[in-house]
Amino acid sequence: MPLHSIAPQRLYRQIADQLRALIGKGEFVPGARLPAERDLARQLGVSRPSVREALIALEVEGYVEVRTGSGVYVLDRPQRSAAPIEATEWGPLELIRARRVVEGETAALAALHGKRKDFDAMQRAIDTMREMADRNVMPLDGDRAFHLAIVEASGNTVLIETVQGFWDSRRGPLFTRLGGYFETVVSWRRAIAEHEAIRDAIVARDPAAARAAMHEHMDKSHQRFSASWRRAKAV
């Protein structure tokens, strides 16, 4: 009997597979509302963020529709024309937690080793973010430039490529769809203020404060994406 390699599945994909199978079996018929996140999390024995990632994956794939303020509803089969999520796609909320670990340390390293050119690059990135937000444009380009300026101050190629990999995933379909619900100009202005606190700690050459400011930023980012669906576009 030929054997096939076994690849570990991301948790959100395992949850999505179970829900997709139930939809296929008619347990949730077209037009039906799925149980609330908290109920699914309790029944599956997983966290609510993992359930949210699974629901977003199912929406990207065309199985469900998220109606903010109402719930998540099963779509008719003819509407399921979207391509499946790549097996390598990281869950957005899991990604933020990983970034908290790594980028807390890159911020501390930037405070220790950063040069004037690095500080200037951080300031230019913040200016870009503010200018884009003023035009009601989501300032992802400035955000990316800010975090890359921090890690580049470390001079560590592995860390630089790791953070770049985080940002490649940040532009994936799961994160893009989730951001469509919870990222607003108002929320980005709050994030810009968090970036300024990180910059201030780095420029002050205070690694502990820089690490703490980055942790706070990532924690607040996670909170914004974990808010109730009823609060979508109001965070």
Side-chain angles (χ1 to χ4, degrees), residues 131-234:
E131 185 271 332
M132 294 180 74
D134 287 344
R135 292 190 288 109
N136 290 323
V137 175
M138 298 297 105
L140 285 173
D141 290 342
D143 192 16
R144 183 181 191 276
F146 178 80
H147 288 275
L148 290 184
I150 290 174
V151 70
E152 285 170 1
S154 73
N156 186 302
T157 303
V158 175
L159 287 174
I160 292 170
E161 293 181 358
T162 297
V163 173
Q164 288 174 336
F166 288 159
W167 272 94
D168 289 341
S169 182
R170 174 69 172 80
R171 295 178 183 275
L174 287 181
F175 217 125
T176 299
R177 182 63 63 92
L178 189 62
Y181 289 113
F182 294 99
E183 289 183 311
T184 65
V185 171
V186 172
S187 70
W188 271 108
R189 291 194 188 283
R190 294 173 185 166
I192 291 170
E194 294 159 19
H195 284 71
E196 290 172 333
I198 298 167
R199 176 211 57 203
D200 290 346
I202 291 173
V203 172
R205 298 201 176 279
D206 187 335
R211 182 186 296 110
M214 182 64 79
H215 285 171
E216 183 175 10
H217 170 50
M218 291 300 169
D219 289 343
K220 288 183 176 178
S221 295
H222 195 278
Q223 290 169 12
R224 285 189 279 268
F225 285 115
S226 302
S228 166
W229 289 111
R230 295 183 182 277
R231 292 176 54 204
K233 291 301 183 185

Side-chain angles (χ1 to χ4, degrees), residues 83-148:
I85 297 293
E86 293 289 338
T88 55
E89 183 85 11
W90 289 335
L93 295 166
E94 188 177 34
L95 172 61
I96 292 173
R97 286 305 190 197
R99 288 184 61 193
R100 184 187 192 276
V101 174
V102 174
E103 295 195 56
E105 295 312 306
T106 63
L109 288 171
L112 288 171
H113 305 297
K115 298 178 174 60
R116 173 51 56 187
K117 66 179 180 61
D118 302 310
F119 303 155
D120 290 344
M122 294 172 207
Q123 185 58 54
R124 286 195 301 272
I126 290 174
D127 291 342
T128 297
M129 292 180 70
R130 190 179 293 109
E131 185 271 332
M132 294 180 74
D134 287 344
R135 292 190 288 109
N136 290 323
V137 175
M138 298 297 105
L140 285 173
D141 290 342
D143 192 16
R144 183 181 191 276
F146 178 80
H147 288 275
L148 290 184

Side-chain angles (χ1 to χ4, degrees), residues 21-44:
L22 291 173
I23 292 171
K25 293 176 182 177
E27 295 289 336
F28 299 115
V29 299
R33 184 172 65 180
L34 294 182
E37 274 184 5
R38 63 178 179 277
D39 297 326
L40 288 171
R42 183 172 58 251
Q43 293 176 45
L44 292 164

